[in-house]
Amino acid sequence: MPLGGGNRCGCCQKTVYFAEEVQCEGKFFHKSCFLCMVCKKNLDSTTVAVHVDEIYCKSCYGKKYGPKGYGYGGGAGTLSMDTGEALGIQPAEQEAHHPTNNPNPSKYAQRFGSSESCPRCGKAVYAAEKVVGAGNSWHKSCFRCAKCGKSLESTTLADKDGEIYCKGCYAKNFGPKGFGFGQGAGALAHAQ
């Protein structure tokens, strides 16, 4: 303990007495000096984030040192375009995106989607939109009856020659025809 009765504050370098002391990462601070270096919010043990000798609130720390780019929004479904410049944070320069025309996609791409194509539209089927029926992978929007367009489920479909149908359309088009195979309760169907 230095001469003068207490440790030195990690922020203002003045003596910190026990009654006003806050400890963080082996350093001592006055309660009034234990503030985020960017936004100046009061910090406590649950809201502090340390980088080398600097202390931040978790929000400012994330903006300054956290991951950047699409998908790393402010949380709870938000997309934030705030780069932190108003808080004194200098955004890093980002390289321009250069798409590849690689004819040999990675094993990851081959394994998770690009090798399966929808029999209805011919486009790639990815896991998030995949429905399996009649031995094939379909898009949710393509998983409909080929005749009437009714949305299907794996338990309500019938397939013929690689196409899927609702049970009603399948029965009308491919089921038995003639006397005794009517559409319901005593109806007569004229087969052609």
Side-chain angles (χ1 to χ4, degrees):
M1 190 176 291
L3 188 64
N7 296 302
R8 297 280 174 196
C9 177
C11 184
C12 69
Q13 303 305 313
K14 294 181 182 175
T15 302
V16 180
Y17 296 100
F18 182 75
E20 58 183 356
E21 175 183 277
V22 177
Q23 291 184 26
C24 178
E25 299 276 319
K27 295 188 179 193
F28 300 88
F29 297 88
H30 294 106
K31 287 180 184 175
S32 60
C33 292
F34 198 57
L35 306 171
C36 174
M37 295 187 74
V38 176
C39 69
K40 306 298 183 203
K41 286 183 183 173
N42 287 321
L43 301 173
D44 61 36
S45 62
T46 61
T47 60
V48 70
V50 180
H51 184 79
V52 189
D53 289 333
E54 302 170 333
I55 56 174
Y56 299 94
C57 67
K58 290 187 177 184
S59 177
C60 291
Y61 179 85
K63 287 177 185 172
K64 189 165 185 175
Y65 298 108
K68 309 281 188 287
Y70 182 76
Y72 294 103
T78 62
L79 178 60
S80 176
M81 301 303 288
D82 181 14
T83 60
E85 290 179 49
L87 301 174
I89 299 170
Q90 298 298 319
E93 293 293 321
Q94 293 189 356
E95 269 186 47
H97 176 68
H98 301 289
T100 180
N101 290 328
N102 184 358
N104 299 318
S106 69
K107 288 180 183 177
Y108 181 82
Q110 290 174 350
R111 185 172 173 202
F112 293 104
S114 65
S115 61
E116 292 184 283
S117 61
C118 176
R120 176 84 31 93
C121 68
K123 295 180 181 174
V125 180
Y126 298 99
E129 57 189 358
K130 180 176 172 180
V131 179
V132 178
N136 291 315
S137 296
W138 305 75
H139 294 110
K140 288 178 185 175
S141 58
C142 295
F143 200 63
R144 298 182 168 278
C145 175
K147 289 286 183 186
C148 68
K150 179 180 175 184
S151 185
L152 300 172
E153 295 176 12
S154 59
T155 59
T156 62
L157 72 86
D159 66 310
K160 181 165 175 77
D161 300 329
E163 212 29 279
I164 55 176
Y165 303 91
C166 67
K167 292 191 175 188
C169 289
Y170 183 87
K172 285 179 194 173
N173 293 290
F174 307 109
K177 294 179 176 56
F179 181 75
F181 295 103
Q183 297 298 325
L188 293 176
H190 179 66
Q192 294 181 4

mmCIF file of all heavy atoms in Angstrom, residues 140-180:
data_model
loop_
_atom_site.group_PDB
_atom_site.id
_atom_site.type_symbol
_atom_site.label_atom_id
_atom_site.label_comp_id
_atom_site.label_asym_id
_atom_site.label_seq_id
_atom_site.Cartn_x
_atom_site.Cartn_y
_atom_site.Cartn_z
ATOM 1 N N LYS A 140 -40.367 -25.875 -49.061
ATOM 2 C CA LYS A 140 -41.695 -25.831 -48.429
ATOM 3 C C LYS A 140 -42.734 -25.272 -49.394
ATOM 4 O O LYS A 140 -43.853 -25.740 -49.461
ATOM 5 C CB LYS A 140 -41.651 -24.961 -47.167
ATOM 6 C CG LYS A 140 -40.916 -25.607 -46.027
ATOM 7 C CD LYS A 140 -40.865 -24.686 -44.819
ATOM 8 C CE LYS A 140 -40.023 -25.302 -43.726
ATOM 9 N NZ LYS A 140 -39.834 -24.413 -42.584
ATOM 10 N N SER A 141 -42.345 -24.261 -50.176
ATOM 11 C CA SER A 141 -43.292 -23.639 -51.108
ATOM 12 C C SER A 141 -43.598 -24.530 -52.319
ATOM 13 O O SER A 141 -44.621 -24.350 -52.972
ATOM 14 C CB SER A 141 -42.756 -22.285 -51.579
ATOM 15 O OG SER A 141 -41.502 -22.457 -52.202
ATOM 16 N N CYS A 142 -42.741 -25.486 -52.626
ATOM 17 C CA CYS A 142 -42.967 -26.394 -53.757
ATOM 18 C C CYS A 142 -43.674 -27.681 -53.337
ATOM 19 O O CYS A 142 -44.072 -28.474 -54.186
ATOM 20 C CB CYS A 142 -41.641 -26.747 -54.420
ATOM 21 S SG CYS A 142 -40.804 -25.363 -55.207
ATOM 22 N N PHE A 143 -43.812 -27.907 -52.053
ATOM 23 C CA PHE A 143 -44.401 -29.144 -51.531
ATOM 24 C C PHE A 143 -45.920 -29.042 -51.566
ATOM 25 O O PHE A 143 -46.592 -28.944 -50.559
ATOM 26 C CB PHE A 143 -43.878 -29.388 -50.111
ATOM 27 C CG PHE A 143 -44.007 -30.810 -49.639
ATOM 28 C CD1 PHE A 143 -43.339 -31.839 -50.280
ATOM 29 C CD2 PHE A 143 -44.787 -31.117 -48.541
ATOM 30 C CE1 PHE A 143 -43.441 -33.150 -49.836
ATOM 31 C CE2 PHE A 143 -44.906 -32.424 -48.090
ATOM 32 C CZ PHE A 143 -44.237 -33.435 -48.739
ATOM 33 N N ARG A 144 -46.471 -29.029 -52.803
ATOM 34 C CA ARG A 144 -47.901 -28.848 -53.053
ATOM 35 C C ARG A 144 -48.364 -29.879 -54.079
ATOM 36 O O ARG A 144 -47.578 -30.375 -54.868
ATOM 37 C CB ARG A 144 -48.171 -27.445 -53.602
ATOM 38 C CG ARG A 144 -47.776 -26.356 -52.647
ATOM 39 C CD ARG A 144 -48.091 -24.981 -53.201
ATOM 40 N NE ARG A 144 -47.982 -23.969 -52.177
ATOM 41 C CZ ARG A 144 -48.929 -23.687 -51.288
ATOM 42 N NH1 ARG A 144 -50.062 -24.325 -51.311
ATOM 43 N NH2 ARG A 144 -48.738 -22.762 -50.373
ATOM 44 N N CYS A 145 -49.670 -30.109 -54.100
ATOM 45 C CA CYS A 145 -50.265 -31.031 -55.066
ATOM 46 C C CYS A 145 -50.022 -30.517 -56.487
ATOM 47 O O CYS A 145 -50.217 -29.332 -56.769
ATOM 48 C CB CYS A 145 -51.765 -31.162 -54.797
ATOM 49 S SG CYS A 145 -52.637 -32.165 -56.019
ATOM 50 N N ALA A 146 -49.610 -31.410 -57.377
ATOM 51 C CA ALA A 146 -49.321 -31.030 -58.760
ATOM 52 C C ALA A 146 -50.583 -30.625 -59.518
ATOM 53 O O ALA A 146 -50.511 -29.896 -60.506
ATOM 54 C CB ALA A 146 -48.631 -32.181 -59.484
ATOM 55 N N LYS A 147 -51.764 -31.090 -59.076
ATOM 56 C CA LYS A 147 -53.007 -30.762 -59.774
ATOM 57 C C LYS A 147 -53.696 -29.531 -59.201
ATOM 58 O O LYS A 147 -53.963 -28.572 -59.902
ATOM 59 C CB LYS A 147 -53.981 -31.951 -59.718
ATOM 60 C CG LYS A 147 -53.569 -33.118 -60.562
ATOM 61 C CD LYS A 147 -53.786 -32.819 -62.025
ATOM 62 C CE LYS A 147 -53.436 -34.044 -62.862
ATOM 63 N NZ LYS A 147 -53.486 -33.780 -64.261
ATOM 64 N N CYS A 148 -54.003 -29.554 -57.888
ATOM 65 C CA CYS A 148 -54.813 -28.476 -57.311
ATOM 66 C C CYS A 148 -53.994 -27.431 -56.549
ATOM 67 O O CYS A 148 -54.512 -26.380 -56.181
ATOM 68 C CB CYS A 148 -55.890 -29.053 -56.391
ATOM 69 S SG CYS A 148 -55.250 -29.808 -54.879
ATOM 70 N N GLY A 149 -52.713 -27.699 -56.275
ATOM 71 C CA GLY A 149 -51.865 -26.730 -55.588
ATOM 72 C C GLY A 149 -52.024 -26.712 -54.082
ATOM 73 O O GLY A 149 -51.453 -25.860 -53.404
ATOM 74 N N LYS A 150 -52.773 -27.654 -53.523
ATOM 75 C CA LYS A 150 -52.991 -27.712 -52.081
ATOM 76 C C LYS A 150 -51.678 -28.042 -51.377
ATOM 77 O O LYS A 150 -50.921 -28.899 -51.820
ATOM 78 C CB LYS A 150 -54.038 -28.787 -51.790
ATOM 79 C CG LYS A 150 -54.352 -28.995 -50.336
ATOM 80 C CD LYS A 150 -55.399 -30.093 -50.188
ATOM 81 C CE LYS A 150 -55.652 -30.416 -48.729
ATOM 82 N NZ LYS A 150 -56.590 -31.545 -48.608
ATOM 83 N N SER A 151 -51.413 -27.343 -50.271
ATOM 84 C CA SER A 151 -50.215 -27.600 -49.474
ATOM 85 C C SER A 151 -50.292 -29.003 -48.893
ATOM 86 O O SER A 151 -51.347 -29.428 -48.433
ATOM 87 C CB SER A 151 -50.112 -26.566 -48.361
ATOM 88 O OG SER A 151 -48.911 -26.742 -47.657
ATOM 89 N N LEU A 152 -49.187 -29.725 -48.907
ATOM 90 C CA LEU A 152 -49.175 -31.116 -48.477
ATOM 91 C C LEU A 152 -48.334 -31.312 -47.220
ATOM 92 O O LEU A 152 -47.501 -30.472 -46.880
ATOM 93 C CB LEU A 152 -48.614 -32.003 -49.588
ATOM 94 C CG LEU A 152 -49.369 -32.005 -50.908
ATOM 95 C CD1 LEU A 152 -48.595 -32.773 -51.961
ATOM 96 C CD2 LEU A 152 -50.745 -32.609 -50.721
ATOM 97 N N GLU A 153 -48.556 -32.439 -46.581
ATOM 98 C CA GLU A 153 -47.729 -32.917 -45.490
ATOM 99 C C GLU A 153 -47.309 -34.328 -45.849
ATOM 100 O O GLU A 153 -47.912 -34.950 -46.728
ATOM 101 C CB GLU A 153 -48.508 -32.904 -44.175
ATOM 102 C CG GLU A 153 -48.901 -31.512 -43.732
ATOM 103 C CD GLU A 153 -49.751 -31.543 -42.470
ATOM 104 O OE1 GLU A 153 -49.853 -32.600 -41.823
ATOM 105 O OE2 GLU A 153 -50.321 -30.494 -42.144
ATOM 106 N N SER A 154 -46.300 -34.837 -45.172
ATOM 107 C CA SER A 154 -45.809 -36.164 -45.522
ATOM 108 C C SER A 154 -46.881 -37.239 -45.352
ATOM 109 O O SER A 154 -46.827 -38.277 -46.007
ATOM 110 C CB SER A 154 -44.582 -36.508 -44.688
ATOM 111 O OG SER A 154 -44.897 -36.476 -43.318
ATOM 112 N N THR A 155 -47.882 -36.986 -44.501
ATOM 113 C CA THR A 155 -48.948 -37.980 -44.286
ATOM 114 C C THR A 155 -50.122 -37.796 -45.231
ATOM 115 O O THR A 155 -50.998 -38.656 -45.289
ATOM 116 C CB THR A 155 -49.462 -37.896 -42.839
ATOM 117 O OG1 THR A 155 -49.952 -36.580 -42.597
ATOM 118 C CG2 THR A 155 -48.369 -38.229 -41.848
ATOM 119 N N THR A 156 -50.189 -36.693 -45.965
ATOM 120 C CA THR A 156 -51.350 -36.424 -46.828
ATOM 121 C C THR A 156 -50.988 -36.435 -48.301
ATOM 122 O O THR A 156 -51.676 -35.835 -49.098
ATOM 123 C CB THR A 156 -51.979 -35.065 -46.488
ATOM 124 O OG1 THR A 156 -51.016 -34.031 -46.719
ATOM 125 C CG2 THR A 156 -52.468 -35.023 -45.060
ATOM 126 N N LEU A 157 -49.901 -37.100 -48.657
ATOM 127 C CA LEU A 157 -49.530 -37.082 -50.069
ATOM 128 C C LEU A 157 -49.538 -38.481 -50.668
ATOM 129 O O LEU A 157 -49.460 -39.479 -49.967
ATOM 130 C CB LEU A 157 -48.160 -36.429 -50.269
ATOM 131 C CG LEU A 157 -46.898 -37.181 -49.833
ATOM 132 C CD1 LEU A 157 -46.403 -38.122 -50.907
ATOM 133 C CD2 LEU A 157 -45.818 -36.183 -49.538
ATOM 134 N N ALA A 158 -49.646 -38.492 -51.972
ATOM 135 C CA ALA A 158 -49.493 -39.712 -52.763
ATOM 136 C C ALA A 158 -48.588 -39.331 -53.930
ATOM 137 O O ALA A 158 -48.675 -38.222 -54.449
ATOM 138 C CB ALA A 158 -50.847 -40.203 -53.258
ATOM 139 N N ASP A 159 -47.696 -40.226 -54.325
ATOM 140 C CA ASP A 159 -46.786 -39.878 -55.410
ATOM 141 C C ASP A 159 -46.926 -40.851 -56.573
ATOM 142 O O ASP A 159 -47.277 -42.009 -56.393
ATOM 143 C CB ASP A 159 -45.336 -39.844 -54.916
ATOM 144 C CG ASP A 159 -44.825 -41.202 -54.492
ATOM 145 O OD1 ASP A 159 -45.509 -41.875 -53.700
ATOM 146 O OD2 ASP A 159 -43.731 -41.591 -54.942
ATOM 147 N N LYS A 160 -46.679 -40.317 -57.768
ATOM 148 C CA LYS A 160 -46.711 -41.135 -58.986
ATOM 149 C C LYS A 160 -45.759 -40.506 -59.986
ATOM 150 O O LYS A 160 -45.839 -39.308 -60.268
ATOM 151 C CB LYS A 160 -48.126 -41.201 -59.561
ATOM 152 C CG LYS A 160 -48.205 -42.058 -60.828
ATOM 153 C CD LYS A 160 -49.631 -42.400 -61.140
ATOM 154 C CE LYS A 160 -49.749 -43.152 -62.445
ATOM 155 N NZ LYS A 160 -49.375 -44.547 -62.339
ATOM 156 N N ASP A 161 -44.849 -41.301 -60.493
ATOM 157 C CA ASP A 161 -43.880 -40.879 -61.507
ATOM 158 C C ASP A 161 -43.101 -39.626 -61.085
ATOM 159 O O ASP A 161 -42.901 -38.698 -61.874
ATOM 160 C CB ASP A 161 -44.582 -40.632 -62.854
ATOM 161 C CG ASP A 161 -45.271 -41.889 -63.376
ATOM 162 O OD1 ASP A 161 -44.761 -43.003 -63.082
ATOM 163 O OD2 ASP A 161 -46.307 -41.761 -64.052
ATOM 164 N N GLY A 162 -42.682 -39.570 -59.820
ATOM 165 C CA GLY A 162 -41.862 -38.458 -59.345
ATOM 166 C C GLY A 162 -42.634 -37.193 -59.015
ATOM 167 O O GLY A 162 -42.039 -36.196 -58.628
ATOM 168 N N GLU A 163 -43.932 -37.186 -59.156
ATOM 169 C CA GLU A 163 -44.763 -36.013 -58.851
ATOM 170 C C GLU A 163 -45.587 -36.332 -57.621
ATOM 171 O O GLU A 163 -45.872 -37.491 -57.335
ATOM 172 C CB GLU A 163 -45.653 -35.720 -60.056
ATOM 173 C CG GLU A 163 -46.033 -34.285 -60.349
ATOM 174 C CD GLU A 163 -45.080 -33.182 -59.945
ATOM 175 O OE1 GLU A 163 -45.082 -32.786 -58.767
ATOM 176 O OE2 GLU A 163 -44.366 -32.671 -60.803
ATOM 177 N N ILE A 164 -45.952 -35.291 -56.852
ATOM 178 C CA ILE A 164 -46.741 -35.508 -55.637
ATOM 179 C C ILE A 164 -48.131 -34.900 -55.792
ATOM 180 O O ILE A 164 -48.307 -33.880 -56.447
ATOM 181 C CB ILE A 164 -46.025 -34.945 -54.389
ATOM 182 C CG1 ILE A 164 -45.661 -33.471 -54.562
ATOM 183 C CG2 ILE A 164 -44.808 -35.769 -54.044
ATOM 184 C CD1 ILE A 164 -45.046 -32.817 -53.336
ATOM 185 N N TYR A 165 -49.118 -35.569 -55.173
ATOM 186 C CA TYR A 165 -50.519 -35.174 -55.276
ATOM 187 C C TYR A 165 -51.166 -35.297 -53.902
ATOM 188 O O TYR A 165 -50.737 -36.099 -53.074
ATOM 189 C CB TYR A 165 -51.269 -36.100 -56.241
ATOM 190 C CG TYR A 165 -50.679 -36.148 -57.625
ATOM 191 C CD1 TYR A 165 -49.717 -37.100 -57.950
ATOM 192 C CD2 TYR A 165 -51.087 -35.252 -58.605
ATOM 193 C CE1 TYR A 165 -49.168 -37.141 -59.224
ATOM 194 C CE2 TYR A 165 -50.543 -35.295 -59.876
ATOM 195 C CZ TYR A 165 -49.592 -36.231 -60.185
ATOM 196 O OH TYR A 165 -49.051 -36.275 -61.437
ATOM 197 N N CYS A 166 -52.235 -34.521 -53.681
ATOM 198 C CA CYS A 166 -53.053 -34.744 -52.499
ATOM 199 C C CYS A 166 -53.816 -36.046 -52.748
ATOM 200 O O CYS A 166 -53.961 -36.477 -53.894
ATOM 201 C CB CYS A 166 -53.986 -33.565 -52.236
ATOM 202 S SG CYS A 166 -55.276 -33.325 -53.467
ATOM 203 N N LYS A 167 -54.328 -36.653 -51.699
ATOM 204 C CA LYS A 167 -55.002 -37.946 -51.863
ATOM 205 C C LYS A 167 -56.257 -37.843 -52.726
ATOM 206 O O LYS A 167 -56.569 -38.752 -53.485
ATOM 207 C CB LYS A 167 -55.309 -38.546 -50.494
ATOM 208 C CG LYS A 167 -54.032 -38.957 -49.778
ATOM 209 C CD LYS A 167 -54.276 -39.785 -48.555
ATOM 210 C CE LYS A 167 -52.942 -40.230 -48.005
ATOM 211 N NZ LYS A 167 -53.034 -41.181 -46.928
ATOM 212 N N GLY A 168 -56.950 -36.708 -52.645
ATOM 213 C CA GLY A 168 -58.153 -36.522 -53.464
ATOM 214 C C GLY A 168 -57.835 -36.487 -54.948
ATOM 215 O O GLY A 168 -58.481 -37.170 -55.750
ATOM 216 N N CYS A 169 -56.840 -35.683 -55.353
ATOM 217 C CA CYS A 169 -56.463 -35.600 -56.773
ATOM 218 C C CYS A 169 -55.879 -36.912 -57.272
ATOM 219 O O CYS A 169 -56.115 -37.317 -58.422
ATOM 220 C CB CYS A 169 -55.476 -34.461 -57.001
ATOM 221 S SG CYS A 169 -56.217 -32.819 -56.852
ATOM 222 N N TYR A 170 -55.137 -37.594 -56.422
ATOM 223 C CA TYR A 170 -54.572 -38.877 -56.823
ATOM 224 C C TYR A 170 -55.696 -39.878 -57.105
ATOM 225 O O TYR A 170 -55.673 -40.570 -58.122
ATOM 226 C CB TYR A 170 -53.639 -39.420 -55.738
ATOM 227 C CG TYR A 170 -52.973 -40.712 -56.122
ATOM 228 C CD1 TYR A 170 -51.784 -40.707 -56.841
ATOM 229 C CD2 TYR A 170 -53.531 -41.946 -55.784
ATOM 230 C CE1 TYR A 170 -51.172 -41.896 -57.215
ATOM 231 C CE2 TYR A 170 -52.934 -43.131 -56.150
ATOM 232 C CZ TYR A 170 -51.746 -43.103 -56.857
ATOM 233 O OH TYR A 170 -51.144 -44.279 -57.242
ATOM 234 N N ALA A 171 -56.681 -39.911 -56.231
ATOM 235 C CA ALA A 171 -57.804 -40.845 -56.410
ATOM 236 C C ALA A 171 -58.581 -40.513 -57.677
ATOM 237 O O ALA A 171 -58.962 -41.404 -58.437
ATOM 238 C CB ALA A 171 -58.723 -40.801 -55.187
ATOM 239 N N LYS A 172 -58.823 -39.223 -57.939
ATOM 240 C CA LYS A 172 -59.571 -38.823 -59.132
ATOM 241 C C LYS A 172 -58.828 -39.161 -60.407
ATOM 242 O O LYS A 172 -59.419 -39.584 -61.395
ATOM 243 C CB LYS A 172 -59.829 -37.315 -59.127
ATOM 244 C CG LYS A 172 -60.893 -36.871 -58.173
ATOM 245 C CD LYS A 172 -61.034 -35.360 -58.251
ATOM 246 C CE LYS A 172 -61.832 -34.820 -57.089
ATOM 247 N NZ LYS A 172 -61.827 -33.366 -57.057
ATOM 248 N N ASN A 173 -57.516 -38.965 -60.421
ATOM 249 C CA ASN A 173 -56.739 -39.125 -61.649
ATOM 250 C C ASN A 173 -56.142 -40.509 -61.856
ATOM 251 O O ASN A 173 -55.954 -40.927 -62.993
ATOM 252 C CB ASN A 173 -55.625 -38.080 -61.694
ATOM 253 C CG ASN A 173 -56.180 -36.684 -61.827
ATOM 254 O OD1 ASN A 173 -56.702 -36.326 -62.864
ATOM 255 N ND2 ASN A 173 -56.106 -35.908 -60.746
ATOM 256 N N PHE A 174 -55.824 -41.201 -60.779
ATOM 257 C CA PHE A 174 -55.125 -42.480 -60.935
ATOM 258 C C PHE A 174 -55.804 -43.649 -60.233
ATOM 259 O O PHE A 174 -55.356 -44.771 -60.350
ATOM 260 C CB PHE A 174 -53.685 -42.351 -60.401
ATOM 261 C CG PHE A 174 -52.941 -41.195 -61.000
ATOM 262 C CD1 PHE A 174 -52.642 -40.079 -60.231
ATOM 263 C CD2 PHE A 174 -52.563 -41.203 -62.336
ATOM 264 C CE1 PHE A 174 -51.950 -39.000 -60.778
ATOM 265 C CE2 PHE A 174 -51.881 -40.129 -62.887
ATOM 266 C CZ PHE A 174 -51.586 -39.025 -62.105
ATOM 267 N N GLY A 175 -56.883 -43.358 -59.491
ATOM 268 C CA GLY A 175 -57.582 -44.418 -58.772
ATOM 269 C C GLY A 175 -58.464 -45.233 -59.711
ATOM 270 O O GLY A 175 -58.586 -44.936 -60.899
ATOM 271 N N PRO A 176 -59.120 -46.269 -59.160
ATOM 272 C CA PRO A 176 -60.002 -47.099 -59.996
ATOM 273 C C PRO A 176 -61.209 -46.304 -60.480
ATOM 274 O O PRO A 176 -61.682 -45.396 -59.810
ATOM 275 C CB PRO A 176 -60.417 -48.234 -59.057
ATOM 276 C CG PRO A 176 -60.170 -47.711 -57.684
ATOM 277 C CD PRO A 176 -59.074 -46.703 -57.788
ATOM 278 N N LYS A 177 -61.686 -46.634 -61.687
ATOM 279 C CA LYS A 177 -62.821 -45.932 -62.275
ATOM 280 C C LYS A 177 -63.893 -46.946 -62.665
ATOM 281 O O LYS A 177 -63.610 -48.112 -62.856
ATOM 282 C CB LYS A 177 -62.368 -45.148 -63.505
ATOM 283 C CG LYS A 177 -61.417 -44.014 -63.157
ATOM 284 C CD LYS A 177 -60.970 -43.270 -64.392
ATOM 285 C CE LYS A 177 -60.114 -42.090 -64.085
ATOM 286 N NZ LYS A 177 -58.941 -42.323 -63.314
ATOM 287 N N GLY A 178 -65.089 -46.437 -62.798
ATOM 288 C CA GLY A 178 -66.164 -47.317 -63.235
ATOM 289 C C GLY A 178 -67.257 -47.436 -62.188
ATOM 290 O O GLY A 178 -67.228 -46.787 -61.163
ATOM 291 N N PHE A 179 -68.223 -48.333 -62.482
ATOM 292 C CA PHE A 179 -69.373 -48.517 -61.601
ATOM 293 C C PHE A 179 -68.909 -49.036 -60.246
ATOM 294 O O PHE A 179 -68.128 -49.960 -60.145
ATOM 295 C CB PHE A 179 -70.365 -49.510 -62.245
ATOM 296 C CG PHE A 179 -71.586 -49.723 -61.412
ATOM 297 C CD1 PHE A 179 -72.567 -48.746 -61.355
ATOM 298 C CD2 PHE A 179 -71.748 -50.886 -60.661
ATOM 299 C CE1 PHE A 179 -73.688 -48.933 -60.583
ATOM 300 C CE2 PHE A 179 -72.870 -51.073 -59.897
ATOM 301 C CZ PHE A 179 -73.839 -50.097 -59.852
ATOM 302 N N GLY A 180 -69.377 -48.381 -59.169
ATOM 303 C CA GLY A 180 -69.030 -48.812 -57.825
ATOM 304 C C GLY A 180 -67.836 -48.081 -57.235
ATOM 305 O O GLY A 180 -67.491 -48.295 -56.090
#
